[in-house]
Amino acid sequence: MKMDSELLLSPALCLAEEEEADMSDWNLPLAFMKKRHSEKIEGSKALAQSWRMKDRMKTVSVALVLCLNVGVDPPDVVKTSPCARLECWIDPLSMSPQKALETIGANLQKQYENWQPRARYKQSLDPTVDEVKKLCTSLRRNAKEERVLFHYNGHGVPRPTVNGEIWVFNKNYTQYIPLSVYDLQTWMGSPSIFVYDCSNAGIIVKSFKQFALQREQELEVAAINPNHPLAQMPLPPSMKNCIQLAACEASELLPMNPDLPADLFTSCLTTPIKIALLVDCHTSAFPPSPAVLCHVPCVPRSPPPSSLTSDRSAASFLRQQSISTFSPLGSVRTGGVLVCFVCLCCLESGPVAFSPGNLSTSSSASSTLGSPDNDEYILSFETIDKMRRVSSYSSLNSLIGVSFNSVYTQIWRVLLHLAADPFPEVSDLAMKVLNSIAYKATMNARPQRILDSGSLTQSAPASPTSKGAHIHQAGGSPPMPSASSSSLTNEVPKPPTRGGEQPPTRPPYTPTLGGQAPHSHQFPRTRKMFDKGPSGSEQAYMNANLSTGLCDWSAKYFAQPVMKIPEEHDVESQVRKEREWRFLRNARVRKQSHRITQRGVTRLDDQIFINRNPGVPSVVKFHPFNPCIAVADKDSICFWDWEKAERLDYFYNGNPRYTRITAMEYLNGHDYSLLLTATDDGALRIWKNFADQRNPEMVTAWQGLSDMLPTTRGLARRVSIYLDRSKGQGGAGMVVDWEQETGLLMTSGDVRVIRIWDTEREMKVQDIPTGADSCVTSLSCDSQRSLIAAGLGDGSVRLYDRRMGANECRVMTYREHSSWVVKAHLQKQTDGKIISVSVDGDVRFFELRSPDSVNVLQTVKGLTALDIHPQANLFACGSMNQFIAVYNSNGDVISNIKYYDGFMGQRIGAISCLAFHPYWPHLAVGSNDYYMSIYSAEKRLR
């Protein structure tokens, strides 16, 4: 939510100088605010490439200069034993030195010819200075204005000198003779490509740039002053249109690992597939240190590798495998003194990795999976969920006809999980693949009537599973003649476009891409023997080749400037000023609210807000600094401005019909706020652009918990919920707690673990076993002490230290409650206590190092909701008997809020949820009659 321009100048929100010392917000990390979260994942349609030339250019001539001196090691290199020996995949010691030199030269030429067969190749094997000069000048003369490539292998000569010299030989091979890079520039001219495969190759690059700058200065002097001596001499060629490829940095040696070729750099350029397969088979050959791998970082103006890669099949294959290759013979257009280094892969996992950019189906796999026959049956998400749970291992084997642990079964399970993913774009892609597989299977099937969806669960169901990481626990079977369908549809709707109109009681249903009419409705159910089937768009549908756009989106950043200061760090930028305004506002809220709570709150019953919510409130959450409150019902969220009593927004959360929202959290509440929603099927969704008159957008979504047992108990039946809870039965749904300081999200609920997610890395980092057979009903964490307090349905309160191992992290268990724990709160102070309240109304205070409670209070029985103020010594209890009681830490009732008859009476239904403001002494209360109220210690606090 961005600030209003009027508020920026408002003196009421400006801090005095003594209040500006609060810098805590600047030190807090931000979650889900990377570019991948804020931008649409798609490539740029038109990339402005300043390094490209206007005219297309070809590499027409290639000089292959090999200084190997086979059998004689250079004096300044101490080789390991054993050492890398292969040159162009030839072992030079396997034949005579002269024959080895000629064979290696011929092999190098063949490797280059695979990329550019029409170029003119000239070899210079163990040459002298004159031979190199003759070769280069001849090639430049014949190439005219086209590009020439100079390949230098210096494995048999000393390393380059700091004066800008490489080494060749004298005629008798008794001396090493230096060759100046300045002379090499003169002979080669421009445009040219230089490849340096030698140790300390970065020295050549630096010298080249220095000499190129010197030539530019000489040209400028000659142009300005015709009488200058330089103007009387032949003009030096400009080196602007030159590209350099260096094997390593100025201080690095070439790798000597015997499992790798000696010319590893050349191999990466000319035989990328072969070297990739070799390294993938010998991952240990790559040490983690980039220096050993001759990795030279790219300079800011480096062109994107994808743009420099040849279109040949080998390079295309490697791009799909996430390996960046660079063909020096490709059609490269360049401008300016440009140096491009090729970064060798230095990942410990090896250079070959699966790329998520392409997802496609295999006709061979689909034919193996089986063939459904009914091409008119549409599967909903409920049916997919049944398919995921269907049958035991033995029955699944008999249905599929293949091994239960076969690769096809595993792929089908994964697709079913992805089809029910909470993020619509992921589920849409999976549904398209499932539809494609089902369609292909249908085309191979013998027409017959299939069973309805009820047949999917005829066998005894296995343990219920859900979308998540534990794929191996999921059931489900691929398409087959008697148990599936040819067309699957995704029924999870996306958030509707709201605009400024008044929404109905329930936001309208908007289908996703998967919800369109199935393709199979467009064709007859019987086919002639020689019918070729659908064509055009339908044929494309059969061969689903889906792309996420991630690779194109990532590649476009190679063409953008990297020297520009990021907007968030530019002190004069609008983004920076907005952040400063928000942090000043936050400091004022903290300071003013602290003054009020420090004085002590003696009453909290003035109703400062009341309105009818579109749905029955189930979860309510105050924004910590804005006058905004989020109210969730079963599957939607409404936002209210509680100061102006205005509804700001109301949108659909996107969870399936049989699930409900059970928890909410504000992420980055101090800055650009995001809203996290958790549902009782274990799904987590992150929203942005809410409550600011713009359409809310889903930033991301994922399956936070697996093996959840969704409850169907509704909020309108709080009495039955209370009875179920009093018996210790399920129904906690999903509970969460958020640590802004660490970016960690704690999740639990109707499961037997507390799962911790790292939002910075976007991955699960820890599973803490609860050690109980009942659900987790409440979570509270403390980042300073790395502690997590959990209340459980069996009445126990458990304390965990997440720094310890899974078998040791439960450090304390309190069993003083005899019924469902409604709330367990861990105070954030250094010596903070645990405060817990059960459904029976007994309040317990626990010291962390003491096995017994240090204080016990008794409140009303039949609690349905409870919250504890994090700053003031207050806690509030809500009852199904239309009653709210507010207590201080001594157990004294400071306010009783009841239902009163009459025109002026306060309207309160059975309490469904309540929550304190993180700072102000405000209490939000939701009731089963749809009303939402806020009570305060004072009528006006600001």
Side-chain angles (χ1 to χ4, degrees), residues 314-336:
S316 300
F317 167 80
L318 287 172
R319 282 202 305 273
Q320 294 174 3
Q321 300 301 318
S322 297
I323 301 176
S324 296
T325 61
F326 174 59
S327 169
L329 295 176
S331 300
V332 181
R333 284 172 265 176
T334 178

Side-chain angles (χ1 to χ4, degrees), residues 621-624 628-630 639 665-668 674-675 690 738:
K621 199 75 176 179
F622 276 105
H623 189 280
C628 172
I629 188 169
F639 288 89
E665 288 284 348
Y666 283 103
L667 312 186
N668 314 329
L674 305 175
L675 182 74
F690 51 84
W738 166 246

Side-chain angles (χ1 to χ4, degrees), residues 609-613 640 645-647 930-933:
F609 171 86
I610 183 170
N611 225 313
R612 182 180 172 86
N613 202 62
W640 297 91
E646 295 178 354
R647 185 167 70 182
Y930 288 78
Y931 275 88
M932 190 72 222
S933 304

Side-chain angles (χ1 to χ4, degrees), residues 702-716:
W702 74 99
Q703 196 65 30
L705 291 172
S706 53
D707 299 324
M708 291 284 287
L709 299 173
T711 177
T712 58
R713 289 188 289 271
L715 289 171

Side-chain angles (χ1 to χ4, degrees), residues 359-375:
L359 178 65
S360 61
T361 61
S362 169
S363 58
S364 61
S366 62
S367 62
T368 309
L369 288 171
S371 307
D373 297 280
N374 188 340
D375 55 2

Side-chain angles (χ1 to χ4, degrees), residues 35-36 144 171 191 248 254 376 387 676 723 735 769 850:
K35 287 186 180 296
R36 64 179 180 272
K144 298 181 181 179
K171 292 185 178 180
C248 58
L254 294 180
E376 296 180 357
M387 292 173 66
L676 177 144
L723 293 176
V735 294
S850 174

